C-alpha cells in the first residue's frame, strides 16, 4: 500500500477509527477541534496523548489502552456534542 502515508494503521486501528481514517495523520487535539469539539474535551485527554496522531492512538487502542480508546471516542463524538450544545 504505497498510497498510505504517515502513520501505518494496524488492521484493528482501521476498525476503531472507521470512517475517520482520513484523519489518521492529524494530531488528536486538532482533529477534535476540526470536528467541532472544544478545549474542554481536549483537556480531558491525558497531556501526553494530546500531541499524538489519531492513527497512533488508534493503534494504542488496539493494544488495549483504554485512555487511547477514550480519545478516539471523544473525536467521534465531537460533532454530535457541537450539534447538541454548540461550541461558540
Amino acid at each position: 500500500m504505497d498510497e498510505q502515508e504517515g502513520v501505518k494503521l494496524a488492521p484493528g486501528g482501521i476498525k476503531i477509527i472507521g470512517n475517520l481514517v482520513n484523519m489518521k495523520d492529524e494530531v488528536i487535539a486538532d482533529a477534535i477541534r476540526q470536528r467541532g469539539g472544544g478545549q474542554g474535551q481536549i483537556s480531558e485527554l491525558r497531556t501526553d496523548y494530546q500531541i499524538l496522531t489519531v492513527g497512533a492512538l488508534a493503534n494504542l487502542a488496539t493494544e488495549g489502552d483504554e485512555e487511547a480508546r477514550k480519545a478516539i471516542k471523544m473525536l467521534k463524538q465531537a460533532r454530535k456534542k457541537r450539534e447538541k450544545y454548540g461550541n461558540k
Side-chain angles (χ1 to χ4, degrees), residues 14-75:
I14 295 169
K15 184 177 178 183
I16 287 173
I17 58 176
N19 65 341
L20 299 178
V21 72
N22 62 327
M23 299 184 103
K24 71 179 177 63
D25 295 321
E26 305 254 351
V27 174
I28 189 73
D30 295 338
I32 288 172
R33 282 189 203 99
Q34 283 179 23
R35 289 186 48 87
Q39 186 60 41
Q41 285 177 299
I42 295 165
S43 296
E44 289 181 38
L45 298 175
R46 275 181 35 181
T47 307
D48 55 333
Y49 281 14
Q50 292 177 14
I51 57 170
L52 293 179
T53 63
V54 173
L57 286 167
N59 288 337
L60 286 172
T62 63
E63 297 169 6
D65 187 325
E66 287 303 315
E67 288 292 319
R69 189 173 295 275
K70 176 183 168 186
I72 298 298
K73 187 173 182 179
M74 289 173 73
L75 172 63

